[in-house]
Amino acid sequence: MAGKRTRATIKDVARRAGVSPTTVSHAFSGNGTVAPGTADRVREAARELGYRPDTVARGLRSSRLGVLGLVVRPLDPQDTAFLEGVDYFLRFAGSAALAAVERGYGLMLVPDPTRADAPAVGLACDGFLITEPVENDPLITMLTRECVPFLGVGRDPARPASPDYLDLGTRRIVTDVLDHLAEAGGSRVAAVLGTDRNEWNLDAETAYLAWVRARGQEPLAVRRAEVAGEAGGREAGEELFGLASPPDAVYCQTGRHAAGVLAAARAKGLAVPGDVRIACGSDSDSEQTRLSVPPITSVDLRPVRLARVAVEVLVDRVEGIEQSPAPGPAEYELMVRGSTRG
Amino acid sequence: MAGKRTRATIKDVARRAGVSPTTVSHAFSGNGTVAPGTADRVREAARELGYRPDTVARGLRSSRLGVLGLVVRPLDPQDTAFLEGVDYFLRFAGSAALAAVERGYGLMLVPDPTRADAPAVGLACDGFLITEPVENDPLITMLTRECVPFLGVGRDPARPASPDYLDLGTRRIVTDVLDHLAEAGGSRVAAVLGTDRNEWNLDAETAYLAWVRARGQEPLAVRRAEVAGEAGGREAGEELFGLASPPDAVYCQTGRHAAGVLAAARAKGLAVPGDVRIACGSDSDSEQTRLSVPPITSVDLRPVRLARVAVEVLVDRVEGIEQSPAPGPAEYELMVRGSTRG
DNA sequence: CTGAAAGCGCTAACAG
DNA sequence: CTGTTAGCGCTTTCAG
């Protein structure tokens, strides 16, 4: 079932319809103007031949392929951790794909095109969505140099804010969650933070430090790699609850961390909520937070909506629509659950 | 940040390296032969200019773009149900993307290219993965006609088995689950089936009917659309448990259906397991089955592995590698859980 | 080993 | 309204 090129070309259609290739081109692209009758003949001929314009050839001229690249960080293709963030990521990717389709684009998952082993096609995308750029993201450097449109979902923490990044509003979110923990009765709030160098982590840290200091306390933060997951959270929890004066509330950066902290608290015989309140700054739809016992208060970052907005902005950029108004901070919703609510 | 074409072309590199475009082409593609020294000069010039071969132009000649299309059925882009199968689908899509990358391909989610409103780029893919083809799938018709390689993940139920389809082994799986329900004490097993016309549903029905009749009983099957989800399952459960002689075991086709049936049983005061056993023929990782109370016995279809196999086979086809041995039925594992185990 | 020439399939100017 | 003429950036014979 190999088969050489069987598809009809624009010339075949032109010949059959008794017109020039240009006319066929016009008829299909809707550019120029074609007499209705002629257009019909062209369409008819094309149908008979099973002709469809070749996207690649078209892209060569118009330097627009119709493909958006989605780059997910962290990005090591070896690292199956890629699959760990499934809940949030799938919703994001799925929604982005749909939104892209609605704008006439395909959405391709690509590994970091700056890596040597990246498939060449990665570079062919008309624009890129980069979720959670890392500090001084090399991909952003490259895209900027080559004038390829992109949109960061989250800031590059080392670069100035700009319309090139969607603002996740991390500090505001984290502060809200911390306030909620305090309202729920937490008087000493610890934090379990991640280690990736992205907006989400770096801003969360900043926000936590500021919040704690504003209350005249010393920060009590531990860090665990995102990929350490529930086990990492459990470790962190054991560390925190083993202290001489343990926290009575814990803010966690990921749902998996939170689930681990919860497990550690329960293992230690601590009531949740009661002795300890736990909340998570992300990923409210994850199994870990939603279906744990008790369920863990967390934040719905609206990945479906976020992806849609991101695609809209990116497509506008790709199509050269002038500065689509940079949307404000992403919407979110605090999902208060049993882990902080008597 | 619009910017016209800034990227260096092969000519620029040729000029700078003092050679012809042909030589540059050879140096990069590894085709012809280039003297080591010349190749170095070319590479050097390219580096200085930040040159990278243009994938689109390259694809024009070689008619190989390096992109695999992933078509998910059912496929209505309007229908957010697309997002509902998240657990299984994400794992599948994520894993497929990784496997594709490892073979040097990009993996693009595309809507059914046979639809009128589909983005043209859908057609540009070098090959397609079609998860759960529907009966007489029009996409398969088109791809066959145009000699575009594809691989169905699941058979087209209306076409003869062939190496073009990965065998999901549905009948075997369903039979195993039914056997398990019987072993767990079920003497009258009902089925809640789906409505999509794909291998999964049609073969499940066949297998169920055969299994029941082999035991000298009459089938007791209800159907609910996949998208009806938990509510649909609940309805189905109410219907079944409201019968004069209700079943004492229910096979469900989807995790959501199973969760609904479970809810219906509990609402009716039936013990699960005890009065009723429930098992699900798919999607063991879904929240619905894994984290319900009790958790629901289901089947791990190994989507991560399945996707990897599918990509391997498809890439072999795309690259014209002769008949990579069609892999046998997909592996799976019955995950026995509380819903069938005292 | 290297290069000149001829396109891949399509579209973008311009002319008619 | 339609056709002619040039290519897009790259690869590919096929001569040197």
Side-chain angles (χ1 to χ4, degrees), chain B:
Chain B
M1 181 130 311
K4 285 291 105 184
R5 169 161 294 291
T6 313
R7 283 172 58 181
T9 80
I10 202 170
K11 275 187 198 152
D12 301 322
V13 178
R15 194 158 27 232
R16 197 166 216 295
V19 297
S20 79
T22 308
T23 303
V24 177
S25 173
H26 287 169
F28 273 88
S29 66
N31 280 353
T33 43
V34 183
T38 316
D40 285 347
R41 281 199 348 268
V42 169
R43 220 167 296 282
E44 171 66 8
R47 214 187 37 67
E48 289 170 11
L49 265 39
Y51 167 81
R52 294 174 142 285
D54 181 311
T55 312
V56 175
R58 186 174 267 184
L60 186 57
R61 291 297 293 184
S62 57
S63 70
R64 174 195 171 287
L65 224 201
V67 179
L68 267 23
L70 172 61
V71 179
V72 184
R73 302 212 173 282
L75 36 42
D76 188 346
Q78 314 295 38
D79 195 347
T80 334
F82 171 84
L83 286 173
E84 291 215 38
V86 289
D87 296 306
Y88 175 88
F89 170 66
L90 182 236
R91 290 181 171 83
F92 187 94
S95 172
L98 286 179
V101 162
E102 283 168 22
R103 288 285 233 123
Y105 287 76
L107 194 278
M108 183 164 64
L109 302 174
V110 292
D112 179 356
T114 62
R115 292 176 59 105
D117 59 344
V121 69
L123 276 311
C125 297
D126 300 315
F128 290 85
L129 227 44
I130 308 167
T131 68
E132 297 286 309
V134 295
E135 233 174 3
N136 285 311
D137 203 304
L139 176 56
I140 291 181
T141 306
M142 168 191 273
L143 295 177
T144 302
R145 175 160 42 71
E146 298 193 358
C147 293
V148 178
F150 70 90
L151 182 72
V153 180
R155 294 191 352 262
D156 178 335
R159 294 182 221 241
S162 92
D164 291 341
Y165 309 99
L166 236 43
D167 182 359
L168 260 25
T170 303
R171 293 183 202 189
R172 195 168 41 102
I173 294 173
V174 172
T175 304
D176 275 3
V177 175
L178 293 169
D179 284 342
H180 171 74
L181 283 169
E183 277 159 27
S187 59
R188 182 77 181 106
V189 184
V192 179
L193 303 169
T195 56
D196 287 342
R197 308 285 294 172
N198 55 30
E199 166 188 334
W200 183 241
N201 276 323
L202 297 176
D203 280 10
E205 177 167 356
T206 308
Y208 171 73
L209 296 179
W211 187 86
V212 168
R213 296 215 167 103
R215 302 168 72 89
Q217 303 183 318
E218 275 308 296
L220 177 55
V222 299
R223 252 158 286 273
R224 285 296 181 282
E226 281 73 1
V227 296
E230 210 165 315
R234 181 151 184 155
E235 259 179 48
E238 283 159 4
E239 182 179 331
L240 290 170
F241 300 133
L243 291 173
S245 54
D248 61 0
V250 183
Y251 167 87
C252 298
Q253 186 73 331
T254 79
R256 279 161 210 270
H257 286 169
V261 170
L262 174 60
R266 296 172 70 90
K268 199 125 188 135
L270 297 168
V272 179
D275 300 323
V276 181
R277 295 128 198 96
I278 299 175
C280 161
S282 65
D283 210 16
S284 75
D285 265 329
S286 79
E287 298 171 355
Q288 286 75 27
T289 60
R290 193 152 72 82
L291 296 156
S292 58
V293 184
I296 298 169
T297 290
S298 49
V299 177
D300 181 356
L301 298 171
R302 310 269 177 86
V304 168
R305 208 196 93 96
L306 185 62
R308 185 164 290 275
V309 170
V311 167
E312 292 295 335
V313 173
L314 179 61
V315 170
D316 284 352
R317 279 193 182 5
V318 166
E319 298 187 345
I321 294 172
E322 277 322 316
Q323 285 306 38
S324 50
E331 290 181 12
Y332 68 96
E333 186 176 359
L334 185 64
M335 310 293 284
V336 176
R337 300 197 178 117
S339 69
T340 59
R341 179 183 53 189

Side-chain angles (χ1 to χ4, degrees), chain A residues 72-82 115, chain B residues 98:
Chain A
V72 183
R73 302 212 174 281
L75 35 42
D76 188 346
Q78 314 296 37
D79 197 345
T80 334
F82 171 84
R115 292 176 59 105
Chain B
L98 286 179

